[in-house]
Amino acid sequence: MLLFMLAGCYTPMNNSGVATTKPWLEIAGKKQDFDGKQYDSCYQFKLHFWPQEAAEQLDLKKSCISSCCWRSEQEEVVLDFNKNFDADLALYGRARKYSPDKITLKIAHANWLNTTKVTVSPQRAISTSGLVKLSYKEYENPTRLAQLEEAARQQTALTAAIKEAQAQSAQLNSSSTGSATKANKKKSATKTVRKNVSPTSEELAKALFQRQAGLKVDTFFYQMDKTYKKQGAFFLLSDRIIQTHSSGKENQFTLTCQAKARTGLDVKQLRSSTFSCGTWAIDTNTQTITPTDKRAQLIWELE
């Protein structure tokens, strides 16, 4: 009778022939001794998250979510959602602090039941379907936000000035060349316009980033919008802020990209959020850009 009661707590066997105590725990492979007893297994957590961006705080591979982990090498996994909080607040001016801040998953196997068990702490942090639902509070760094807003204003003003100069230059180039004096004046005026709007090295770095990665960033946010819609949620993207800093070497810069958005399950109660679109190394001399963080790498690999 005891065996029947215990068996009722377990989910059916998966493809490896091993039962698990949670439907979101899968055993991808196992190792057995000469007596057929299991002494190791490769387990994987089939989890999904709300809000979905909470998963971005995790290393999904090391957390055994995007790939399986051998029990002999890692019997405990800690999902730490706030490890990057201080760094994100300093860099982006806004950051979320999640609750629970950590979820601990412990793995054990019982050969006599051919069952792998997972213990979750806090106990109800993960639903039966594998949903990790977190609450959060968003914090702000007013000084950093003011710096980013000023950078955004400067970028907008620069873009407008360049467009105006280009329009004036095109108008001058299309005018008739009646006399040598008129032609010389036209040439002088064109040089003056170009001199006034000559882009700085930082502006060239931003332009290089937009040219090589702009479409990939758009694709990333388009995919994020689709994911939100599948979950019945709203994702309203607004301003995008790009900021560059010299790396200390000539023609080399560090570029940070972020976008503002409003998200939520109710269109009448949307919350303002800031989403990273990566940190990048820019070399205007070689005309190359390189992703330097996890988010940038993800975006760079998009087709």
Side-chain angles (χ1 to χ4, degrees):
M1 184 176 292
L2 177 61
L3 288 175
F4 281 117
M5 291 174 64
L6 289 173
C9 299
Y10 301 107
T11 61
M13 292 185 183
N14 53 34
N15 292 335
S16 66
V18 179
T20 59
T21 58
K22 299 292 183 182
W24 44 265
L25 172 62
E26 291 191 358
I27 306 301
K30 61 183 178 179
K31 296 178 181 178
Q32 296 176 307
D33 59 21
F34 290 112
D35 296 325
K37 293 182 179 180
Q38 183 192 131
Y39 66 89
D40 201 0
S41 60
C42 201
Y43 63 90
Q44 184 173 0
F45 303 122
K46 295 295 186 178
L47 301 176
H48 52 289
F49 300 83
W50 179 262
Q52 65 175 11
E53 49 269 22
E56 297 167 7
Q57 302 301 322
L58 307 175
D59 185 322
L60 298 181
K61 184 176 181 180
K62 290 183 178 179
S63 299
C64 313
I65 296 173
S66 63
S67 62
C68 71
C69 301
W70 288 102
R71 180 164 41 88
S72 60
E73 298 175 356
Q74 189 175 355
E75 291 186 337
E76 180 177 294
V77 174
V78 178
L79 308 181
D80 188 348
F81 297 99
N82 293 325
K83 63 180 179 180
N84 299 318
F85 173 78
D86 291 332
D88 287 349
L89 187 61
L91 181 60
Y92 304 118
R94 287 190 179 91
R96 292 178 178 180
K97 182 162 282 188
Y98 292 98
S99 180
D101 60 337
K102 294 180 181 179
I103 297 176
T104 302
L105 305 170
K106 294 183 179 180
I107 299 295
H109 181 75
N111 266 316
W112 67 288
L113 287 173
N114 189 31
T115 299
T116 299
K117 176 183 179 181
V118 57
T119 304
V120 182
S121 178
Q123 285 187 350
R124 299 184 178 180
I126 303 176
S127 73
T128 303
S129 66
L131 173 63
V132 181
K133 190 172 184 179
L134 304 163
S135 61
Y136 67 89
K137 181 177 180 181
E138 191 162 278
Y139 293 81
E140 294 186 352
N141 180 336
T143 301
R144 182 57 175 161
L145 287 175
Q147 293 173 346
L148 294 172
E149 289 174 1
E150 178 59 27
R153 283 194 293 269
Q154 292 179 0
Q155 185 177 347
T156 301
L158 172 66
T159 301
I162 291 176
K163 288 182 178 179
E164 182 180 356
Q166 289 173 339
Q168 292 179 10
S169 178
Q171 185 176 4
L172 287 171
N173 288 333
S174 63
S175 63
S176 59
T177 54
S179 63
T181 302
K182 187 175 181 180
N184 289 335
K185 287 182 178 180
K186 171 186 170 184
K187 185 176 181 180
S188 176
T190 303
K191 286 182 177 180
T192 301
V193 170
R194 288 177 178 170
K195 181 179 180 181
N196 290 338
V197 298
S198 178
T200 64
S201 297
E202 288 82 359
E203 292 158 3
L204 290 174
K206 291 179 181 179
L208 178 62
F209 170 75
Q210 292 283 20
R211 187 166 64 251
Q212 295 194 17
L215 182 59
K216 292 179 180 290
V217 172
D218 292 340
T219 301
F220 169 76
F221 284 118
Y222 173 71
Q223 291 180 350
M224 183 176 288
D225 178 59
K226 284 176 39 177
T227 302
Y228 267 76
K229 287 179 179 177
K230 286 181 180 179
Q231 298 179 351
F234 297 91
F235 178 82
L236 305 180
L237 194 65
S238 58
D239 298 334
R240 191 173 302 173
I241 301 172
I242 298 175
Q243 194 169 24
T244 58
H245 306 277
S246 174
S247 65
K249 297 181 180 180
E250 187 177 2
N251 298 321
Q252 295 184 17
F253 302 88
T254 297
L255 182 146
T256 58
C257 173
Q258 59 181 341
K260 295 181 179 180
R262 292 187 299 151
T263 62
L265 295 172
D266 186 347
V267 72
K268 296 180 180 179
Q269 296 181 347
L270 298 180
R271 301 181 64 171
S272 297
S273 301
T274 301
F275 294 86
S276 168
C277 34
T279 302
W280 308 75
I282 311 293
D283 190 327
T284 56
N285 187 38
T286 61
Q287 292 287 290
T288 56
I289 70 173
T290 305
T292 60
D293 67 358
K294 185 168 60 175
R295 173 58 60 81
Q297 186 65 44
L298 173 65
I299 292 174
W300 189 242
E301 292 174 355
L302 291 174
E303 296 296 335

